[in-house]
Amino acid sequence: MTALSHGENEGGGRCGDSSAKWMPRTENDELHRKDCNRRLARIDCVNNLHRPVAVFPGSFDPFHLGHYDIVARATQIFPQVVVGILDNPQKKSVFSPLERVEMISELYLGRDDVIVQSFTGLLVNFLKEVDANIIIRGMRAISDFEYEFQMALMNRRLYPNAETVFLTPKEEYSYLSSRLVREVVSLGGDVTGLVPESIRVLLEDRIDTLERPT
Ligand code: ADP
């Protein structure tokens, strides 16, 4: 696990205790994390009720409208949704984890019910850090099922409190994936209506770095 994946119990304090320690990688990252903890604490401590926090994990490289649709559905069910961006140093990405945090956070400015953070290592450790026990996954088609089913059972084994909830997107987004979006842009195709507009612009700026399908 690297520094970026750890939660901090600062900025007003959470209701629950957390012994997690972290080291800021950049000043921006530290400020962002303090803000996340302050917003989590605000919801957590209202009337001293413990409300379920849900984590929607993924690479989100880039975040597209299928992801956006799942977050919208999740916030109808759970009072707080943490979009957890997997920081996998082994995997080449178009946008760095910090860039992804920034571009996705921008979509939810002014919203206390959606928080965006990156994490490394095991998802269940991230759940514990943000005091969540719900994992949200998008289920596009039957082809997603086998892998998702295995992951849900493994996560439950690692953390019995974890419950995985599957949500389905609008049909028009059910064929969308980040890989497909990257491929279309790499070949000069237009992804308007498939990714948020601000992300489309950033993606087209990176066209030279995108891997073309072989
Ligand atoms: P992608 O599959 O687009 O590369 P991720 O690996 O980051 O994206 O996936 C993160 C989560 O988003 C997973 O639960 C995945 O099933 C879900 N997801 C991905 N694409 C869609 C989509 N088009 N509609 C609904 N959920 C999706």
Side-chain angles (χ1 to χ4, degrees):
M1 279 222 162
T2 71
L4 206 63
S5 66
H6 289 257
E8 184 192 30
N9 196 11
E10 237 184 70
R14 305 283 306 276
C15 290
D17 266 337
S18 161
S19 53
K21 295 275 185 296
W22 74 289
M23 297 285 291
R25 194 182 277 177
T26 68
E27 202 174 315
N28 257 355
D29 189 34
E30 181 180 15
L31 288 176
H32 176 74
R33 198 163 294 277
K34 279 185 181 165
D35 182 51
C36 287
N37 279 313
R38 186 176 46 72
R39 292 194 290 145
L40 278 163
R42 198 187 301 159
I43 296 255
D44 240 16
C45 295
V46 171
N47 301 330
N48 219 12
L49 287 177
H50 186 80
R51 296 160 184 245
V53 173
V55 169
F56 180 39
S59 306
F60 306 118
D61 188 40
F63 192 82
H64 53 64
L65 291 183
H67 297 136
Y68 192 80
D69 184 81
I70 294 295
V71 172
R73 290 171 198 281
T75 56
Q76 300 289 313
I77 306 171
F78 301 103
Q80 198 144 44
V81 174
V82 179
V83 178
I85 299 168
L86 178 63
D87 173 1
N88 181 357
Q90 260 60 269
K91 206 169 150 195
K92 204 172 150 249
S93 60
V94 181
F95 296 107
S96 72
L98 197 53
E99 286 174 324
R100 277 174 272 162
V101 167
E102 284 173 358
M103 65 179 75
I104 301 170
S105 297
E106 203 170 291
L107 304 173
Y108 297 103
L109 277 182
R111 297 262 306 260
D112 272 343
D113 56 344
V114 181
I115 283 176
V116 186
Q117 273 186 255
S118 64
F119 71 99
T120 57
L122 283 176
L123 172 61
V124 293
N125 290 343
F126 182 57
L127 288 186
K128 292 173 192 170
E129 282 164 18
V130 298
D131 202 11
N133 66 333
I134 309 289
I135 301 168
I136 302 286
R137 296 293 289 173
M139 187 70 82
R140 285 166 283 198
I142 201 75
S143 51
D144 279 342
F145 181 78
E146 197 168 345
Y147 173 74
E148 293 295 341
F149 188 66
Q150 285 176 349
M151 289 302 290
L153 292 180
M154 179 54 82
N155 283 325
R156 184 184 285 162
R157 182 190 165 91
L158 294 171
Y159 185 33
N161 284 351
E163 210 54 75
T164 303
V165 174
F166 296 105
L167 298 176
T168 48
K170 258 192 193 156
E171 283 144 68
E172 62 197 87
Y173 302 135
S174 63
Y175 67 93
L176 252 188
S177 73
S178 298
R179 181 185 54 78
L180 201 54
V181 167
R182 291 194 302 267
E183 287 184 3
V184 170
V185 175
S186 77
L187 296 170
D190 183 8
V191 291
T192 303
L194 301 178
V195 294
E197 198 45 24
S198 55
I199 293 184
R200 185 187 64 78
V201 171
L202 294 169
L203 198 53
E204 287 181 357
D205 281 349
R206 292 277 162 100
I207 190 163
D208 293 336
T209 68
L210 294 172
E211 228 168 81
R212 292 181 178 208
T214 47

